Every structure is written in C-alpha cells, then in structure tokens.
Amino acid sequence: MARRDVDVARMWGEASVRREDGGRGEWFAESRFAMFVHWGLYSEAAGRWRGRTYHGISEWLMHVARIPAREYGRLARRFNPTAFRAEEWVGLAKDAGMRTIVVTAKHHDGFAMFKSAASRFNIVDATPFGRDPLKELAEACGKAGLRLGFYYSQFQDWHEADAAGNTWDFAGPGDFERYLRTKAMPQIEELLTNYGPVALIWFDTPGSISREASAELAAMVHRLQPRCLVNSRIGNGLGDYVTLGDQEIPLTAPEGLWETVDTHNDTWGYADNDHNWKRAGELIGRLARSVSLGGNYMLNVGPTGKGAIPGESAAILREVGRWLGRNGESVYGAGRSPVGRQAWGCCTARPGALYLHVLNWPATGELWVPDWKGKVREARFLASCEAVAFSRKGGHLRLAIPAVAPDGPATVIKLTVGGQVKAAGGGLFLHDGLANEFAAPFASLHGCRHGKRSWMEKFGDWHHADVIVGWKRGSSARWEFGAVRAGMYCLYADYACLPEADGSEFEVSVGESRWRFPALCTGRAEGRVRIRRERLGMVTVPKAGRYVLSVRGVDVRGEGAFVLQGLVLER
Ligand code: FHN
C-alpha cells in the first residue's frame, strides 16, 4: 500500500470511465432519482464524542476525533436500532418518487451492517440487535419493486491494520493485499450472493488503490452478478458509470451515464446537531438540474442510531414525491435538454417535448426561452394541463404566465414541439426580475483559463465551482447575451481572492457602462477557496438587443491568488 492516509485530491477516482457494456446501465438512465442511506455505528454516536460536538460529516467521527478502533468498537454494544422497519424506509423512498435505494453495507469505520463470516465486527454478531437489516431491506425492496444497491468502502477500513485510513492506531504501511483477500473481497461476495439481485455496488474513496485491485473487484462483481453496475469510485477509470464529487450539481455534464450524490443536510450519517435540511424546492431544483444534463440524482438520508429516518427529512422527501406525482413525466425517462440553464430554472427533454422547470418564478407575467428555433404546437402547465399562451418575439419564445407560480415549489411548463428543439449558442439572456448568472464555463476567455475548485465548508461538506483561473494584466472573460428591454441592473461578482491578490484591479463593461473595481480578500483557510459575492455597481441596458458583458485584468497581483466564478446581473 503506497500510503495509509487518503489523499483528498484523489478521494473520488477518475471522472470518466470505460464505456458501459452489455446494456447493464439501461435501467439507470431511466430511473433518475435514488435514495442513498448512510447508516452505521456513527449514527449511534450522532456527531458527538466525549461531550464534544464535531461539526461536519458524522460518519467520519472516528477519524476526526481520533478514536482508537477498540474504543469505537464499543459503540456496537449499545447499538440497538429497534425502530428500524425496512418497509418504512422503502415506503418513504416510494413516496418520495425514488426508484433505487443504496445503503452503506460497510463504511470507512469497517463495521458491516450485515451478517458476515469474514469479520465478527458486524451488526448481527456484535450488537444486541442481532438482526440483519440488509436482508430485511432486500426483501422489502423486492416486494415494493425498488432496486437495491450496496455502498462498500473498499480502500479505507479504520478497523483494520492492513487497510487504508487509520493513521492514529496503526503506523507504517499495512498489508493491503491481505485485507483485500480476507475482508473486502469475501464481504463483497457475501453481499452479491446472499441478498438477491443487487443493482449496483457503490465503491468509495479509491485513494491510491492499484489498478489490479480495482480490476479484480470489478471482475468479481460482474462474475457474481452480470447485471450489477459498479460506480467510478472503484478507481482507475474502471466503473460502469461516473459518480461526480459529493454534492456537485454541475453546469456542464460528462458524456455517458453519470450521477451526482447529495446530502439532505450537511452530513451523510445522522448528526443530532444538523438541522440544515434542503427545502423541497431546493431538492427539486437539484434533481431537475441533474436530469437537464442527462444525469441521475441520489439523495442521502441519515437514519438515527435507533434506525428511524428523521421526521423533518421524511416530511420534505414526501413533499418532493407529491411534486413528482404531478410532474414525473418531466423527470423519469426525460433527459438532456438542448436549451441551456436560465435564470428561471432549467429544461429537461424527451422526443417531441421540452419541460421548463421554473425554479425561480418571475413576477413579471412573462417567461422567455431565448434563441428559439423550433416549432411549438402547444404549451401547458404539466400539473394542471392548463394552456399557456405563447408568442415569438425577436427570435425568442415568450410565454404569458401568472404573477404567482401555480404549482409550487417548482412549476413545470410542457412545450409540445414539432421535430427537434434547437437552441443557438449558450442561450445567455437577461431575464427581468431574476438573478442572471454569467458563469465561468460559458465565457470566452483571452489570456486566462477554465478551471475548477472544490472545497469543504464544514468538515467533509464539499462544494464545487467552475472558475476562471490564471488571471494577469490584460486577461479577459466575455459573455454575449440577449435582452428584450431596457433596464438598470445590479452587477455582482462571485470570486475568491487570497491576501496576495487583495486590491488587484479589474475592469467590467457592458454596453456603455465601464468601470474598475478592486478585488477584496475573501480569506484564506486550509483547503477552502471561500468564494464570496461582491456587489460591483449598477449597469444600464439601454434597449433590446445583443450585448457583451466583460471583465478584464488591469493590475492583477499574486499569481493564481484570484479566481472568478462568474458575474451576476439582477434586477
Ligand atoms: O468519505 C465518504 C463520505 O463519508 C461519504 O460516504 C461520501 C458519500 O459520497 N463519500 C466519501 C467522501 O466522498
């Protein structure tokens, strides 16, 4: 084993995979919405150890609190999840409109949530509970027609001297091969032989696992269950589909099959202290944005140590499910849209139809789809089937909408179209009454480059941004956009500026407006880029037409110390 600790930069493995084979992924592309469950001994500890609260992801408690394996293992003696009812979890997933459940069979703490002959550190042999919840879950999923997949931490196992991750109990490199052969492989084999059809094995944090080990694991999964998918976090580009970074809702999408995984609050495992639930509207927005780029959305719930999914989380999920009951046609079996993201939301598509997900409802009485090239047969609110009047103006499509959204938390308008929908360029457009984002991936650059930054806010609470990097004097980024009327807009910049670049000077321009602004330090913290939004001033768009918004480096200090995520025009 090259290193015992896990290199954060290599947490998630490759962002591309070999091409999926044998039709194994057909169901995956249709299913769109899944439930992820992080449940283990850490749920019992709930983010607290020896009277102290550890903020961030609770399933890493053993790691962040440096708890000796022997002491952590004692949690098993009191782990008795008597409130666990497999049918209730499955019922909630169904109510929420989720079609697959992926549950932690073994997380990094090394504790198996199923009966295992390979290690007694498992829920049946080591706890007073003595039941196998994965067996119960497999039966309940089978009855309800949901797919079941298992999360398995193949590289990190903090309970084992020979695996990766535990640097506080075990010194020096262990014998990874031994761990692989005596625990990881036998346990994965148990999961694939004792629980009926397994939809996927969800590997995680491949770190520096060798290509041979990844290949052997993938081959074993496919030999035991030829229809079972393997995600890209198996490492070395050997998955059947791509899992993006944690909580990453992308602006541009990878080719082929992909998913993103998200937390409901700011942790995966249960934490007493975390009530930061994403509202139903936010979840729907994240689901719709994933589907609009052809991806799947897997949302996590963290049951308590007693085995119950927190009530607030369940109630919000049910609200999402009710919305999907009315609007599911725009999600399941729908996919990538040719119309790019707009300030009001995003689009999903299927042959003959385009679905406008209006996540931010404009109170202006109109909704614009810019650069419209297709033919519209009819427009209707998907939930109520009520017709929406539409017309064309200046090459754009205009829909007449009420001042208040008819179907909160996100109204969908279905456009029935003739032939293929074609949208020109990036479709950047100034929507009245909304925040119009001019994001890094859609800029033309001169003397600077596209890049990406990922950082944690609380521990393990990952955030991601596409950014523009490599700024120097004379570098510039420009966005061309359309506007259908005159107006004054407030301009903001989203950027990160380290102390070395503090006071760097940039020039912005749009139409006749042009002025300079200083970049202000947004702080420095380990592993954090701290992107912040700064208000730069007001700009006037004098009349309908096409404009260019640009930003140019005038005096840029501190090489690499300034990154720009984008500009925002809001009115
Ligand atoms: O370290 C894990 C983390 O605990 C959690 O399981 C997430 C889910 O994607 N995966 C790893 C970090 O990316």
Side-chain angles (χ1 to χ4, degrees):
M1 185 168 65
R3 46 187 299 165
R4 182 180 290 284
D5 57 326
V6 177
D7 181 356
V8 166
R10 302 190 60 189
M11 284 272 275
W12 298 314
E14 285 63 22
S16 65
V17 291
R18 64 175 161 73
R19 291 214 74 78
E20 190 274 321
D21 57 318
R24 204 181 275 138
E26 267 163 27
W27 66 267
F28 186 85
E30 294 288 302
S31 77
R32 296 301 181 215
F33 192 28
M35 176 183 270
F36 207 6
V37 185
H38 274 65
W39 192 44
L41 288 184
Y42 43 81
S43 316
E44 177 66 28
R48 272 205 255 140
W49 195 252
R50 293 184 181 275
R52 181 175 157 193
T53 296
Y54 288 82
H55 298 279
I57 56 176
S58 76
E59 70 282 5
W60 274 66
L61 182 75
M62 180 180 174
H63 192 283
V64 292
R66 296 284 189 266
I67 306 170
R70 186 186 282 271
E71 197 180 331
Y72 182 85
R74 284 192 210 118
L75 274 172
R77 296 188 197 158
R78 62 171 219 243
F79 187 51
N80 193 12
T82 47
F84 170 71
R85 308 267 179 284
E87 317 73 50
E88 282 179 16
W89 289 17
V90 170
L92 174 62
K94 280 205 95 160
D95 288 352
M98 294 155 155
R99 300 200 158 170
T100 309
I101 298 182
V102 179
V103 61
T104 45
K106 188 204 80 169
H107 204 269
H108 311 327
D109 64 358
F111 186 72
M113 293 294 285
F114 58 101
K115 167 77 181 158
S116 173
S119 160
R120 287 192 59 78
F121 193 46
N122 74 72
I123 190 164
V124 179
D125 294 320
T127 74
F129 187 55
R131 280 159 47 194
D132 182 340
L134 300 198
K135 204 134 245 144
E136 296 174 24
L137 208 51
E139 280 162 20
C141 281
K143 278 193 203 134
L146 286 194
R147 290 193 165 78
L148 180 64
F150 296 125
Y151 173 112
Y152 194 91
S153 173
Q154 78 277 29
F155 184 60
Q156 296 198 71
D157 188 320
W158 305 331
H159 190 71
E160 305 296 335
D162 288 324
N166 185 337
T167 50
W168 57 99
D169 280 321
F170 312 120
D175 181 352
F176 187 75
E177 194 62 19
R178 199 160 79 101
Y179 153 76
L180 192 69
R181 308 249 162 246
T182 59
K183 185 167 180 183
M185 291 186 71
Q187 287 198 331
I188 296 166
E189 181 160 355
E190 288 172 336
L191 290 169
L192 288 160
T193 41
N194 299 338
Y195 298 87
V198 177
L200 55 93
I201 299 285
W202 208 93
F203 291 104
D204 204 5
T205 64
S208 55
I209 196 167
S210 68
R211 189 177 173 82
E212 293 70 39
S214 296
E216 206 174 335
L217 286 171
M220 183 179 80
V221 173
H222 293 148
R223 176 172 50 78
L224 292 169
Q225 292 212 19
R227 309 294 301 164
C228 183
L229 289 168
V230 163
N231 71 334
S232 57
R233 293 195 190 175
I234 192 167
N236 298 292
L238 291 173
D240 294 316
Y241 69 90
V242 172
T243 301
L244 302 184
D246 291 352
Q247 299 165 248
E248 180 173 8
I249 309 292
L251 290 174
T252 54
E255 286 301 310
L257 293 179
W258 66 272
E259 74 177 354
T260 194
V261 289
D262 211 1
T263 49
H264 194 176
N265 44 357
D266 296 331
T267 172
W268 303 91
Y270 175 73
D272 263 350
N273 189 59
D274 189 335
H275 297 267
N276 197 19
W277 311 110
K278 294 175 183 75
R279 285 172 285 122
E282 292 176 87
L283 297 177
I284 291 166
R286 293 165 85 84
L287 166 65
R289 283 166 60 190
S290 305
V291 177
S292 77
L293 293 171
N296 286 1
Y297 182 67
M298 181 152 78
L299 176 66
N300 184 73
V301 295
T304 62
K306 281 282 164 249
I309 295 172
E312 293 140 307
S313 177
I316 296 169
L317 257 55
R318 290 205 165 87
E319 195 180 340
V320 173
R322 287 192 291 277
W323 178 88
L324 276 164
R326 304 188 294 274
N327 296 289
E329 179 188 323
S330 66
V331 170
Y332 309 113
R336 234 173 258 263
S337 144
V339 176
R341 214 176 132 189
Q342 301 296 323
W344 46 256
C346 62
C347 298
T348 58
R350 63 168 78 227
L354 190 72
Y355 303 92
L356 317 184
H357 292 255
V358 191
L359 308 168
N360 308 308
W361 191 262
T364 51
E366 56 184 21
L367 189 87
W368 293 86
V369 184
D371 306 317
W372 183 261
K373 295 276 188 298
K375 194 180 173 118
V376 181
R377 298 222 165 100
E378 61 174 25
R380 291 185 183 277
F381 292 117
L382 186 57
S384 66
C385 281
E386 200 185 312
V388 181
F390 59 90
S391 56
R392 266 168 197 274
K393 202 173 161 197
H396 312 296
L397 183 69
R398 177 184 179 277
L399 296 136
I401 56 170
V404 177
D407 184 28
T411 299
V412 178
I413 300 173
K414 177 180 180 181
L415 301 183
T416 306
V417 296
Q420 288 281 6
V421 181
K422 294 192 196 90
L428 293 178
F429 186 86
L430 215 47
H431 298 275
D432 227 2
L434 298 172
N436 297 277
E437 288 175 9
F438 295 83
F442 310 116
S444 327
L445 304 183
H446 170 82
C448 45
R449 310 181 304 281
H450 291 288
K452 196 170 164 173
R453 291 288 182 272
S454 296
W455 72 98
M456 299 190 232
E457 292 281 341
K458 289 180 237 165
F459 177 80
D461 170 26
W462 285 95
H463 294 255
H464 311 268
D466 291 302
V467 290
I468 302 169
V469 300
W471 287 91
K472 47 189 184 300
R473 182 190 177 88
S475 306
S476 66
R478 52 199 308 277
W479 295 263
E480 210 190 310
F481 65 92
V484 283
R485 61 175 51 92
M488 278 180 81
Y489 289 80
C490 196
L491 177 64
Y492 301 88
D494 293 331
Y495 63 76
C497 176
L498 294 178
E500 303 89 285
D502 189 38
S504 291
E505 202 179 23
F506 293 85
E507 183 179 84
V508 283
S509 73
V510 56
E512 296 299 305
S513 311
R514 176 182 303 265
W515 72 93
R516 291 179 179 189
F517 70 91
L520 307 176
C521 178
T522 55
R524 184 202 289 283
E526 188 75 32
R528 301 181 187 183
V529 293
R530 287 209 174 278
I531 290 179
R532 294 291 176 257
R533 180 163 289 187
E534 287 290 343
R535 186 180 156 126
L536 303 184
M538 300 292 287
V539 296
T540 301
V541 173
K543 57 180 193 285
R546 292 208 76 79
Y547 292 86
V548 171
L549 172 63
S550 79
V551 55
R552 185 173 66 85
V554 178
D555 171 22
V556 187
R557 302 176 202 154
E559 206 182 322
F562 175 87
V563 301
L564 180 71
Q565 187 181 12
L567 300 178
V568 178
L569 282 175
E570 186 172 15
R571 175 165 125 109

